[in-house]
Amino acid sequence: MMKVLLAEDGLTMRRLLTTQLQGWDYDVTVAQDGAEAWREFQKCHFQLVLTDWMMPEVDGLELIRRIRTSERSEYVYIILLTARSEREDLVEAMEAGADDFLGKPCNPKELKVRLRAGERIIGLERTLVEKNRQLMETQAALVQHEKLAGVGQLAAGMAHEINNPIAFVSNNLAVLQRDVQALVEIVGLYGESLPAIEQADPPAAARLRAAESDCDLAWLRENLPRLFHSS
């Protein structure tokens, strides 16, 4: 059921319009003047507003201006009721933000037609808002997809850049492991030859024993293979 805000200071007209609107299955909130209508509008969302022009405190045009400058996500369709019929008056009403106007006293059939036209416009506005929301969601999804694709390309490029030096280091470690092991074996052979070297060249043998002590050869033999493997 569509909610209608009716602002009318005339008691007879107010009762008549309320009866007609309720008979057409509208949910009607009644205000006796523009100030009360504005308070009601701030408390609840109305899709349709039906307002008299000439009212005490806040007239119909001021009420329309306040509605148009309020922050409402959905459009409010406003019909201005007036006994004025001069072109200048109608232009002023439309410039204030009225969507339609109807002369007083209102013809019930004409009023019903104007209200139905307002409902169609509100429905079209809702459809446009929904389509715009769907479009924005689709655009956001495409942007996210492009971002993920960009991240994937960046990751692939980084992986390529990282794999090249890793392969270089890995190959060098394999060569070092092989050749250092050969050096350790050669050092072992020198160790086995130390007794003979001591007899032939005692100073040379002393230098070899000192070098072996300084480099902790026993530790190197035990731990070098494990260090290369973990590296």
Side-chain angles (χ1 to χ4, degrees):
M1 184 179 295
M2 187 161 288
K3 297 179 71 65
V4 178
L5 175 61
L6 171 62
E8 170 61 59
D9 62 331
L11 177 60
T12 302
M13 182 61 68
R14 187 167 64 245
R15 288 179 176 176
L16 177 61
L17 289 172
T18 301
T19 301
Q20 291 174 346
L21 292 169
Q22 290 175 341
W24 297 331
D25 293 327
Y26 288 106
D27 181 5
V28 185
T29 298
V30 180
Q32 298 182 18
D33 53 48
E36 182 181 356
W38 175 241
R39 290 193 295 270
E40 293 293 337
F41 183 83
Q42 290 177 299
K43 292 189 293 185
C44 183
H45 176 69
F46 297 93
Q47 295 98 338
L48 290 169
V49 174
L50 196 61
T51 178
D52 188 16
W53 185 326
M54 301 303 296
M55 293 184 294
E57 295 190 57
V58 177
D59 65 12
L61 292 191
E62 177 60 24
L63 175 61
I64 292 172
R65 293 188 186 98
R66 292 185 183 185
I67 290 174
R68 291 302 181 220
T69 55
S70 65
E71 296 181 357
R72 291 295 175 96
S73 59
E74 294 186 8
Y75 189 74
V76 181
Y77 193 86
I78 304 175
I79 300 176
L80 182 67
L81 306 177
T82 177
R84 298 184 179 187
S85 58
E86 296 295 328
R87 180 177 298 176
E88 292 77 8
D89 295 330
L90 301 180
V91 170
E92 183 182 4
M94 302 302 283
E95 288 181 345
D99 294 292
D100 202 352
F101 55 87
L102 193 60
K104 295 175 66 176
C106 303
N107 180 286
K109 292 183 179 180
E110 188 175 0
L111 174 59
K112 187 176 182 179
V113 169
R114 302 293 181 89
L115 289 169
R116 294 292 186 255
E119 288 186 48
R120 288 194 295 272
I121 290 175
I122 292 171
L124 288 172
E125 193 269 343
R126 286 177 176 173
T127 301
L128 290 174
V129 169
E130 177 62 21
K131 288 186 178 297
N132 184 59
R133 183 189 64 80
Q134 293 176 354
L135 177 61
M136 292 180 65
E137 290 179 352
T138 301
Q139 290 176 335
L142 288 174
V143 170
Q144 183 67 15
H145 177 74
E146 291 176 356
K147 286 182 179 179
L148 292 174
V151 170
Q153 293 175 355
L154 178 62
M158 290 178 64
H160 176 74
E161 295 299 323
I162 291 173
N163 284 336
N164 284 339
I166 287 178
F168 179 79
V169 172
S170 179
N171 291 335
N172 285 350
L173 283 172
V175 173
L176 286 171
Q177 185 175 12
R178 180 197 64 195
D179 293 344
V180 168
Q181 186 62 35
L183 288 173
V184 170
E185 292 176 359
I186 292 173
V187 171
L189 292 175
Y190 274 108
E192 294 175 0
S193 304
L194 269 178
I197 295 174
E198 285 177 339
Q199 293 179 0
D201 190 349
R207 289 196 301 274
L208 285 171
R209 290 193 181 278
E212 181 180 355
S213 177
D214 290 340
C215 73
D216 198 353
L217 185 59
W219 186 92
L220 290 175
R221 286 173 174 169
E222 180 181 354
N223 290 285
L224 275 179
R226 180 179 58 80
L227 290 174
F228 278 115
H229 179 74
S230 62
S231 297

